Amino acid sequence: GQNIDQPTEMTATEGAIVQINCTYQTSGFNGLFWYQQHAGEAPTFLSYNVLDGLEEKGRFSSFLSRSKGYSYLLLKELQMKDSASYLCAAMDSNYQLIWGAGTKLIIKP
Amino acid sequence: GAVVSQHPSWVICKSGTSVKIECRSLDFQATTMFWYRQFPKQSLMLMATSNEGSKATYEQGVEKDKFLINHASLTLSTLTVTSAHPEDSSFYICSATTGTSSTGANVLTFGAGSRLTVL
């Protein structure tokens, strides 16, 4: 079956760095997405990886290893506003998005 | 940037009534929109793909007669929850493809979501 695994919750300190991991199993693969979702709001797009390696975009970076079925989202210089859920989603061979349950990131001062 | 407007944000209704949720693409045309449902602390679940001018494509397990989708124009898709029951209480979110990422992927823009509570 198709499956996405990511930690349920993580805690980090303002100004620090945090890495949120995601492993996936899909029927075929057409890329890995990361979305940010604040409580009670809709998700917003953060990144997309389809090739192995690291994609850097400001304070956020995303990494993909297709051979390992693994991705991570790296957040640097954490700010209080980064407190949110981070959703990992893999696109299968039918271009369907398979969503993880999200990782709730708590930032402490 | 592209905006997807969803209305209403909150709705409370009595069991047995029907509720309509609207999803509009502002400043762009969306031939395809997606409807998701999200229960608390769970992942987004795709309910159906809404195609302008044709019938929606429903995911397995989603009752098409209960969740009516209409995509009559390039800027509006509606989801009607018919004869709603308490178990239908959830967060419903629509989205549309609004462009491509730097690596060529289709990017989804989401509406703000509609929280439905059925009493």
Side-chain angles (χ1 to χ4, degrees), chain A residues 15-36:
Chain A
I17 299 173
V18 71
Q19 177 175 310
I20 303 174
N21 296 323
C22 171
T23 57
Y24 63 88
Q25 290 178 303
T26 54
S27 301
F29 181 74
N30 279 300
L32 194 291
F33 293 80
W34 284 96
Y35 281 80
Q36 180 190 58

Side-chain angles (χ1 to χ4, degrees), chain B:
Chain B
V3 175
V4 174
S5 174
Q6 189 171 341
H7 176 82
S9 301
W10 296 83
V11 58
I12 300 173
C13 69
K14 292 182 179 180
S15 184
T17 60
S18 295
V19 173
K20 180 185 285 187
I21 301 169
E22 293 186 348
C23 182
R24 294 181 184 273
S25 57
L26 305 184
D27 300 327
F28 73 99
Q29 295 180 332
T31 55
T32 302
M33 289 186 174
F34 304 93
W35 286 96
Y36 295 84
R37 180 167 54 185
Q38 186 179 35
F39 292 106
K41 299 184 180 180
Q42 295 187 22
S43 63
L44 290 168
M45 297 294 294
L46 179 65
M47 298 175 67
T49 301
S50 170
N51 303 295
E52 187 269 335
S54 65
K55 292 182 179 180
T57 304
Y58 289 83
E59 295 301 300
Q60 193 172 12
V62 178
E63 299 174 59
K64 62 180 181 181
D65 294 329
K66 180 170 183 61
F67 299 98
L68 300 178
I69 292 174
N70 184 283
H71 196 157
S73 78
L74 286 171
T75 59
L76 174 64
S77 176
T78 60
L79 168 69
T80 301
V81 183
T82 62
S83 186
H85 289 94
E87 57 264 31
D88 298 324
S89 297
S90 185
F91 190 50
Y92 293 87
I93 310 175
C94 69
S95 71
T97 302
T98 52
T100 55
S101 72
S102 59
T103 48
N106 287 331
V107 172
L108 294 176
T109 295
F110 289 83
S114 300
R115 187 163 301 281
L116 171 64
T117 301
V118 184
L119 303 176

Side-chain angles (χ1 to χ4, degrees), chain A:
Chain A
Q2 307 200 103
N3 191 52
I4 305 286
D5 284 317
Q6 53 182 128
T8 303
E9 186 174 295
M10 299 182 71
T11 303
T13 305
E14 190 176 15
I17 299 173
V18 71
Q19 177 175 310
I20 303 174
N21 296 323
C22 171
T23 57
Y24 63 88
Q25 290 178 303
T26 54
S27 301
F29 181 74
N30 279 300
L32 194 291
F33 293 80
W34 284 96
Y35 281 80
Q36 180 190 58
Q37 185 178 25
H38 286 99
E41 298 181 11
T44 55
F45 172 77
L46 289 179
S47 68
Y48 171 75
N49 295 66
V50 67
L51 301 176
D52 285 353
L54 187 68
E55 294 272 344
E56 297 187 71
K57 192 186 295 184
R59 294 190 298 115
F60 292 6
S61 302
S62 56
F63 171 84
L64 176 68
S65 169
R66 293 178 64 141
S67 62
K68 295 181 179 178
Y70 167 70
S71 173
Y72 68 72
L73 180 69
L74 190 71
L75 292 76
K76 303 176 184 176
E77 301 169 19
L78 286 170
Q79 301 175 8
M80 298 304 292
K81 67 178 182 179
D82 297 330
S83 293
S85 285
Y86 291 85
L87 305 174
C88 171
M91 183 173 282
D92 68 11
S93 58
N94 294 320
Y95 296 94
Q96 294 268 43
L97 281 175
I98 313 301
W99 294 86
T103 298
K104 182 178 181 181
L105 178 62
I106 300 169
I107 310 295
K108 295 185 175 180

